[in-house]
């Protein structure tokens, strides 16, 4: 059964990454224009890369959840691997190919200095081959967000071997796997970037896949405990981590992300999944209200990630306190309303369901959104720069111009464009490929009822 609540989390993770990258483009555009204005959105958005951590936990959870009932053995392993390979690579090749073409055009057909910067000195052909195959190398793949897919592919290959074992042994294997990663850190195998296979195997963010997989085992076993309370605590914890984390460093890229973001993301996945399985999604309303209020308070402080710890901790404390109060108010108001005016509360259900389904739809688009947005943001920035040369349009399109209008227009145009392209890509490219490969999978492995794993990639 496809969990709509997990789709919502995937959509939120993708949006967090996209807005984070729009902010990075905004900062770049302000600098290119020789201006000094602060970005429009600071606070928790400055740590929006944490959407990747949420993706990793979700992937670990879904891999366990969708393989429930599979018999251990080579056939099941190959079946799973076929599903994952056909889910990731075809769409990746399309967008990586587009980005490669863009780089050729922008860098004198591969002869400019831009390639040397992107490939970190790697010769062009080997660099592109490794990029398209999603194997470790010294630089990010040609489409930068593909570095996360390198880790996804590694996890899927490792999980393929896990499917050879009886499910009752999985928890112990996962714990041993996590212990091996921790041991690798103690003996010096851990590095800030998975540039080779040893660094990839001992990369601490793999722990987020493992934590998600453990949650999958718990949920599949029917273990639920205080799902609503866990969800609200996880939301506030995540907002606090997003507000407190400062400048990125090597420690963050190793174990830091696991502790700052992996742990609250694990609770989020557990809470969202168990709430839906128990049909208690109403708890998501106060949780969402608390997140929105906490985020708005954080925006009000307008702190950069370079702000002193004292300033960030004070702002975060205030946002969490007010966000928690908002959660309590919405929860209490809903409970009282259900007692005093149940008809009015029930009348709100269709509107809330539309929001719920709309967010889940963004989750359906999330893989396309994740891959397409870096390609779209550069042309948008360049287009804004050209329009800004027209004096009458400068207040709207010159990023960094006095006032917030130009920044707001940039965010609206960039986010809307990314969502439209992602929706079209999903509708006309991604979804047909999912269906087509599901039929091929059913024929190859003689599955009676094909169940494409089409909703689980980052």
């Amino acid at each position: 059964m496809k969990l709509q609540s997990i789709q919502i989390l995937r959509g939120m993770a993708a949006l967090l990454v996209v807005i984070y990258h729009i902010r990075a483009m905004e900062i770049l555009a302000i600098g290119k224009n020789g201006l000094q204005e602060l970005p429009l959105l600071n606070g928790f958005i400055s740590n929006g890369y944490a959407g990747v951590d949420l993706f990793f936990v979700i992937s670990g959870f879904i891999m366990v959840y969708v393989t429930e009932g599979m018999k251990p053995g080579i056939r099941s392993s190959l079946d799973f691997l076929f599903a994952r390979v056909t889910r990731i690579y075809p769409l990746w090749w399309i967008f990586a190919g587009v980005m490669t073409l863009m780089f050729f055009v922008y860098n004198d057909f591969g002869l400019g200095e831009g390639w040397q910067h992107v490939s970190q000195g790697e010769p062009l052909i080997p660099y592109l081959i490794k990029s398209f195959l999603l194997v470790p190398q010294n630089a990010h793949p040609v489409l930068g967000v593909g570095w996360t897919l390198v880790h996804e592919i590694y996890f899927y290959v490792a999980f393929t071997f896990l499917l050879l074992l009886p499910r009752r042994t999985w928890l112990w294997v996962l714990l041993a796997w996590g212990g091996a990663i921790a041991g690798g850190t103690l003996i010096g195998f851990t590095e800030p970037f998975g540039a080779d296979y040893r660094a990839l195997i001992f990369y601490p963010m793999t722990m987020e896949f493992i934590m998600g997989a453990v949650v999958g085992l718990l949920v599949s076993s029917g273990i639920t405990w205080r799902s609503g309370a866990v969800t609200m605590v996880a939301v506030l914890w995540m907002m606090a981590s997003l507000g407190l984390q400062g400048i990125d460093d090597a420690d963050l890229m190793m174990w830091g992300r696991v502790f700052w973001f992996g742990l609250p993301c694990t609770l989020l996945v557990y809470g969202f999944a168990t709430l839906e399985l128990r049909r208690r999604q109403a708890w998501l309303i106060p949780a969402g209200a608390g997140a929105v209020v906490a985020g708005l308070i954080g925006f009000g402080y307008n702190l950069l990630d370079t702000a002193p710890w004292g300033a960030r901790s004070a702002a975060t404390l205030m946002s969490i306190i007010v966000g928690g109060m908002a959660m309590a108010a919405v929860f209490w108001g809903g409970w009282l309303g259900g007692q005093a005016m149940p008809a009015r509360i029930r009348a709100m259900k269709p509107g809330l369901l539309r929001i719920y389904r709309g967010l889940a739809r963004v989750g359906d688009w999330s893989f396309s959104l994740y891959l397409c947005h870096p390609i779209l943001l550069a042309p948008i920035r360049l287009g804004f720069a050209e329009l800004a040369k027209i004096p009458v349009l400068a207040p709207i399109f010159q990023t960094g111009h006095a006032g917030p209008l130009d920044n707001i227009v940039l965010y609206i145009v960039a986010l809307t464009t990314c969502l439209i392209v992602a929706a079209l890509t999903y509708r006309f490219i991604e979804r047909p490929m999912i269906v087509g490969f599901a039929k091929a999978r059913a024929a190859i492995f003689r599955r009676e009822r094909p169940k494409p794993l089409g909703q689980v990639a980052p």
Side-chain angles (χ1 to χ4, degrees):
M1 181 181 75
K2 177 180 170 183
L3 296 177
Q4 295 291 325
S5 58
I6 298 300
Q7 288 300 95
I8 290 174
L9 277 182
R10 293 181 71 238
M12 292 167 56
L15 289 174
L16 194 57
V17 172
V18 171
I19 296 173
Y20 169 74
H21 284 150
I22 294 175
R23 179 180 180 272
M25 177 186 68
E26 177 190 19
I27 294 172
L28 177 62
I30 292 171
K32 292 283 187 180
N33 291 331
L35 302 172
Q36 302 295 324
E37 186 181 56
L38 288 178
L40 177 67
L41 300 180
N42 297 301
F44 74 91
I45 294 298
S46 63
N47 292 315
Y49 55 80
V52 170
D53 301 84
L54 181 53
F55 274 134
F56 282 5
V57 176
I58 291 172
S59 290
F61 167 79
I62 291 294
M63 292 306 97
V64 172
Y65 184 77
V66 299
T67 54
E68 185 178 12
M70 273 192 174
K71 296 180 180 180
I74 295 177
R75 181 176 177 179
S76 294
S77 297
L78 294 177
D79 183 358
F80 170 84
L81 187 60
F82 178 88
R84 301 317 310 143
V85 166
T86 56
R87 180 68 183 91
I88 295 292
Y89 277 109
L91 196 64
W92 162 251
W93 287 333
I94 291 173
F95 284 108
V98 172
M99 181 58 83
T100 301
L101 179 61
M102 289 175 63
F103 271 126
F104 269 96
V105 172
Y106 290 160
N107 293 284
D108 301 323
F109 295 94
L111 301 176
E113 295 181 359
W115 276 113
Q116 295 300 314
H117 174 72
V118 171
S119 67
Q120 299 293 304
E122 181 88 10
L124 177 59
I125 299 303
Y127 169 72
L128 289 177
I129 291 174
K130 291 178 181 178
S131 292
F132 277 76
L133 293 179
L134 293 172
V135 297
Q137 58 180 324
N138 290 326
H140 285 168
V142 64
L143 180 56
V145 295
W147 76 267
T148 65
L149 298 184
V150 175
H151 292 274
E152 290 275 355
I153 292 297
Y154 161 63
F155 177 71
Y156 296 153
V157 171
F159 196 86
T160 299
F161 288 100
L162 191 64
L163 285 167
L164 297 172
L165 305 175
R167 196 175 178 93
R168 64 178 179 273
T169 67
W170 285 12
L171 178 60
W172 302 110
V173 174
L174 290 170
L175 294 176
W177 188 1
I181 296 172
T185 298
L186 295 176
I187 60 178
F189 287 170
T190 299
E191 298 179 12
F193 182 69
D196 54 40
Y197 283 102
R198 190 184 78 174
L200 179 66
I201 290 170
F202 292 101
Y203 197 69
M205 284 182 71
T206 302
M207 292 292 293
E208 296 175 339
F209 291 109
I210 295 172
M211 292 188 293
V214 171
V215 169
L217 290 175
L218 292 175
V219 172
S220 299
S221 300
I223 298 174
T224 60
W225 181 80
R226 304 290 184 185
S227 302
V230 167
T231 300
M232 292 197 289
V233 168
V235 166
L236 292 178
W237 185 355
M238 186 65 176
M239 295 303 296
S241 293
L242 289 168
L244 286 172
Q245 169 56 36
I247 301 173
D248 305 350
D249 55 23
D251 290 334
L252 177 71
M253 294 309 297
M254 291 190 287
W255 285 97
R257 292 182 70 156
V258 177
F259 292 109
W260 278 109
F261 306 119
L263 293 175
C265 286
T266 300
L267 290 183
L268 275 175
V269 171
Y270 174 82
F272 272 59
T274 51
L275 283 176
E276 180 169 351
L277 291 173
R278 297 175 65 194
R279 297 185 178 180
R280 302 187 69 183
Q281 293 100 314
W283 282 86
L284 298 179
I285 300 173
V292 170
V293 170
L296 291 174
I297 296 295
F299 287 151
Y301 280 88
N302 200 35
L303 295 179
L304 299 173
D305 50 0
T306 55
W309 169 262
R312 284 186 282 114
S313 58
T316 300
L317 180 61
M318 180 58 68
S319 67
I320 296 307
I321 289 174
V322 179
M325 292 172 62
M327 281 185 181
V330 172
F331 176 82
W332 188 247
W335 187 84
L336 290 178
Q339 302 297 315
M341 50 185 79
R344 291 189 181 182
I345 296 296
R346 284 195 294 269
M348 298 171 61
K349 184 176 180 179
L352 294 172
L353 282 176
R354 281 193 291 271
I355 295 173
Y356 184 84
R357 291 166 182 160
L359 291 173
R361 181 62 59 87
V362 176
D364 292 341
W365 307 337
S366 60
F367 190 31
S368 291
L369 179 60
Y370 187 70
L371 292 180
C372 79
H373 81 272
I375 297 174
L376 298 172
L377 293 185
I380 290 173
R381 179 180 64 81
L382 295 175
F384 268 61
E386 291 300 315
L387 291 172
K389 294 177 182 178
I390 305 173
V392 70
L393 297 180
I396 301 175
F397 294 105
Q398 185 186 46
T399 309
H401 195 279
L405 179 59
D406 56 290
N407 310 80
I408 294 172
V409 171
L410 178 66
Y411 276 88
I412 291 175
V413 171
L415 185 57
T416 302
T417 301
C418 291
L419 286 171
I420 290 173
V421 172
L424 293 174
T425 301
Y426 178 79
R427 173 65 178 82
F428 295 107
I429 300 177
E430 183 181 356
R431 185 62 190 170
M433 287 196 302
I434 291 173
V435 174
F437 283 120
K439 292 179 180 178
R441 180 187 176 200
I444 294 171
F445 297 99
R446 299 180 181 178
R447 297 173 60 91
E448 295 180 3
R449 297 180 61 188
K451 298 179 181 179
L453 307 181
Q455 311 299 330
V456 295

